[in-house]
Amino acid sequence: MPPRVLTVAGSDSGGGAGVQADLKTMLALGVHGMSVITAVTAQNSLGVQGAWELPVAAVVAQYRSVVDDIGVQAVKTGMLASAELVEAVAELIAGTGAPAVVDPVGVSKHGDPLLAASALDSVRTRLLPAATVATPNLDEVAQLTGLRVESEDGMREAASAVLAYGPKWVLIKGGHLPPPGEAGRDGGRRTGAGARAVDLLTDGTEEHWLRAPRHGNRHTHGTGCTLASAIAAELAKGRSVPEAAATAKSYVTGAIAAGFALGAGIGPVDHAWALRGPEGAG
C-alpha cells in the first residue's frame, strides 16, 4: 500500500490548482491522494468567475469518511474560504495525529479572493497552531502579519512573525521577490540573489535556504498548491521536514519550467514533467 495523503481544499474547474493540482502532485510523487472538497470554483486561465463553499457538515463528513476508514500519513490544507470552515478543519487535523501542511490560501494567482477577511483571525489562532509546516507566500505573509517583505533579510522577520502563531515549521516562499534590477514595493533595487527563486524554511532554530533557478515561464498557475502537496507527500513517506521541503522544491521547480499555455490566460505548471523523463519523480 502506498502512503496516503489527504488534501482538504477547493476544486479548480480548470485543473491547474486546488484539489486537482494536489491529486496530480501526489500521483506524480508516488502516494495515494484523497480529497475533502471545501468549495467549488468556476475557474479558468483568466481567473475565478465564481466560488461556492460547502457546508461545514459536508466537509466534516468527507474528512471523517476517509480518515476513519482508510487512514492518512499526512494532510494538506488549501482553500478554506470562511472562518467556520477554517475552525472545523483546524479541529479535525489537530485530532488526526498526522503531519499537516497548511497552505494559507488567501487569493488566487489572478488576484481573486479565496478567503474571507473575517477568517484571517481563525487562520492565525486555530489553523496555524495545528500545522506541522505552514507555507505562506509573501502576499499571504502580508495578510497574516502585516509585514511587507522586500528582501531575503525580510524573510527572516516574516518567518518569526508566522512562527509566533504556532506552526512547528514555516516555509516562507520568496517567489514574489522582484527579480534582479527591478524595483521592489519599497522602491529599492534588487541585485544578484533574484536570479534564483529562494524560500526560507525554519522552525526558529534551524534555518534552511532553498534555492533554485528562477524560470521566466509565465505559466505558473498552481505553484503554491503543488509545493504544499509535494511536501505532504514526502512527509507521508517518512522524510523529515527539511528533506521533504527540499525534494518538493526540486519537483515544483521542474513543474514551473515545464508549465504550458492553456486557454487565453495563465497556464498551469506541468505536474507530470518528471514522469516523462528517464527516471521519473519521487
Side-chain angles (χ1 to χ4, degrees), residues 35 39 67 74 76 94 143 153 162-163 183 192 197 200 208 269 280:
S35 63
V67 173
K76 177 262 178 183
Q143 272 191 315
D153 287 341
V162 176
L163 284 171
L200 171 60
H208 303 267
V269 300

Side-chain angles (χ1 to χ4, degrees), residues 175 193-199 210-217 249-250 252-257:
R196 298 180 70 79
V198 58
D199 304 328
L210 307 178
R211 302 180 188 275
R214 181 187 292 273
H215 296 290
N217 191 353
K249 173 79 168 180
S250 177
V252 79
T253 299
I256 291 169

Side-chain angles (χ1 to χ4, degrees), residues 49 83 131 133 137 140 190 252:
Q49 291 79 46
V133 188
N137 63 31
E140 290 156 354
R190 286 192 41 78
V252 79

